[in-house]
Amino acid sequence: MDVSMTMWVLTILGLCALIAADFFIGRKPHDVSVKEAGVWTVVWIVLAALFGLGLLFFGESQASGEFFAGFITEKSLSVDNLFVFILIMAKFSVPSQLQQRVLLFGVLIALVLRAIFIAAGAAVIANFSWVFYIFGAFLIYTAWKLIQEARSGDEEEEFEENRLLKSVEKKFGVADRYHGTKLFVAKNGKKIMTPLMVVMLAIGTTDVLFAMDSIPAIFGLTQDPYIVFTANAFALMGLRQLYFLIGGLLKKLVHLSYGLSVILGFIGVKLVLHALHENGVNVPEISIPVSLGVICGVLVITTITSLVAARKQAAEEPQKDSIGA
């Protein structure tokens, strides 16, 4: 897809306008209700759908298919981020009325960092086609690791601050309590960070770890930087509302890791096949419609089996309690 600099600028300005509207509507710190989270989740999904349909309307049918496949993949992978976000919120004891603000700015930091990753990835792919082998192998390895972790039942129970975050805290210092929505406060004539600023940085920088598999995954569906960026942007900007909407349901998605591993493994194989095809090897390539069908199918099956398993487990717990008593 040939995207002019004007289109890039208009797209970024449009996203900034949407983000600004989201911020000003919910600028007052408050507890987010399920209704509010649901409305905004639908708004961001509808906006993403309109963007994808807009590409189709202007004759970019392949770009439209790639966008929807990329958006759904990024959205499903970003759900896994919510587990870590919950751990971060608990680690820093973030007041419920400030969590919305934390997620908004944390996601913005993540989006900027991902944009850098996307630009670097696009540059590497444009000059070194063999990188598809590395991306493919990495995704297949990540898929295998996810299955191993899911089967062993190992879950990360505590959030550990990364080195970048620790160095920033050491340099600027951190206040011992929250000061409303303030990011910096004065102490002994020196400006220090509030815990609110620390949590925002934690959310944003931790997302980079997730980008290590999600960015190669979407490049496996499209090599168009414009599609990769917009799919990431729409997926990330709706993540904040999704946190409040399904935060309590995350524990019921017991088969999520299996579903994500299948998706990553599938895209990894797709990347390897694409690399072989680029090098003149006569192998079949997986089309975007097939990719979209597999991704959607896996997510639907994973969600259904997770809810059935969670309901079965909930029904068995009272029986175990009565036997134990």
Side-chain angles (χ1 to χ4, degrees):
M1 181 178 174
D2 187 18
V3 182
S4 65
M5 182 58 67
T6 301
M7 180 59 71
W8 269 105
V9 172
L10 290 175
T11 300
I12 294 174
L13 289 177
L15 287 171
C16 290
L18 291 172
I19 294 168
D22 189 358
F23 172 76
F24 284 110
I25 291 173
R27 65 184 180 278
K28 184 178 179 181
H30 64 285
D31 292 324
V32 178
S33 65
V34 173
K35 180 181 178 181
E36 179 185 348
V39 169
W40 275 102
T41 297
V42 171
V43 167
W44 279 106
I45 291 176
V46 169
L47 288 172
L50 290 175
F51 181 83
L53 292 174
L55 292 174
L56 182 63
F57 177 78
F58 286 105
E60 299 289 346
S61 57
Q62 181 178 348
S64 177
E66 292 175 350
F67 171 80
F68 281 117
F71 171 73
I72 294 172
T73 299
E74 291 297 317
K75 198 71 172 178
S76 60
L77 290 173
S78 68
V79 170
D80 207 29
N81 298 22
L82 299 182
F83 289 102
V84 178
F85 290 175
I86 290 173
L87 291 175
I88 293 175
M89 295 293 188
K91 166 81 173 181
F92 293 98
S93 302
V94 182
S96 58
Q97 67 272 18
L98 293 178
Q99 290 183 7
Q100 183 185 28
R101 183 67 61 89
V102 166
L103 288 170
L104 176 61
F105 285 96
V107 167
L108 284 176
I109 294 171
L111 183 57
V112 172
L113 293 176
R114 285 201 181 203
I116 296 173
F117 266 61
I118 291 168
V124 171
I125 288 173
N127 293 283
F128 307 102
S129 61
W130 50 261
V131 78
F132 285 115
Y133 290 112
I134 298 176
F135 280 2
F138 176 73
L139 290 179
I140 293 172
Y141 171 75
T142 303
W144 179 78
K145 288 288 291 181
L146 274 176
I147 292 178
Q148 292 295 106
E149 291 173 4
R151 292 182 63 184
S152 66
D154 291 338
E155 294 183 0
E156 190 175 355
E157 298 180 353
E158 186 177 352
F159 168 74
E160 293 292 336
E161 297 179 14
N162 54 58
R163 292 183 178 179
L164 175 62
L165 191 59
K166 287 180 179 179
S167 63
V168 171
E169 290 179 7
K170 184 177 180 180
K171 181 176 181 179
F172 292 95
V174 182
D176 57 0
R177 65 181 179 85
Y178 286 89
H179 292 262
T181 58
K182 292 182 178 179
L183 303 181
F184 291 89
V185 292
K187 183 178 181 181
N188 299 326
K190 179 184 176 182
K191 277 194 174 184
I192 60 174
M193 296 190 302
T194 64
L196 185 66
M197 183 65 177
V198 176
V199 182
M200 289 178 181
L201 291 174
I203 294 286
T205 55
T206 300
D207 180 80
V208 174
L209 299 177
F210 292 96
M212 295 298 290
D213 56 30
S214 66
I215 297 301
I218 193 171
F219 270 118
L221 298 169
T222 175
Q223 285 79 60
D224 189 329
Y226 182 76
I227 301 300
V228 174
F229 173 74
T230 51
N232 267 273
F234 280 107
L236 278 178
M237 290 316 302
L239 187 60
R240 180 169 62 99
Q241 288 77 17
L242 204 60
Y243 171 88
F244 296 104
L245 183 63
I246 69 171
L249 299 176
L250 286 176
K251 292 183 179 179
K252 294 184 178 181
L253 299 178
V254 293
H255 296 159
L256 177 64
S257 292
Y258 291 105
L260 295 180
S261 65
V262 171
I263 291 173
L264 290 176
F266 169 77
I267 297 176
V269 171
K270 183 179 185 299
L271 272 170
V272 173
L273 291 175
H274 176 74
L276 290 171
H277 183 79
E278 288 291 308
N279 290 326
V281 181
N282 187 22
V283 294
E285 282 204 89
I286 301 173
S287 66
I288 288 298
V290 171
S291 299
L292 189 56
V294 170
I295 293 167
C296 292
V298 169
L299 290 176
V300 169
I301 294 172
T302 300
T303 301
I304 293 174
T305 58
S306 293
L307 295 178
V308 170
R311 183 177 297 178
K312 183 179 179 181
Q313 184 180 1
E316 291 175 351
E317 285 180 356
Q319 296 179 3
K320 291 181 181 180
D321 292 340
S322 60
I323 292 174

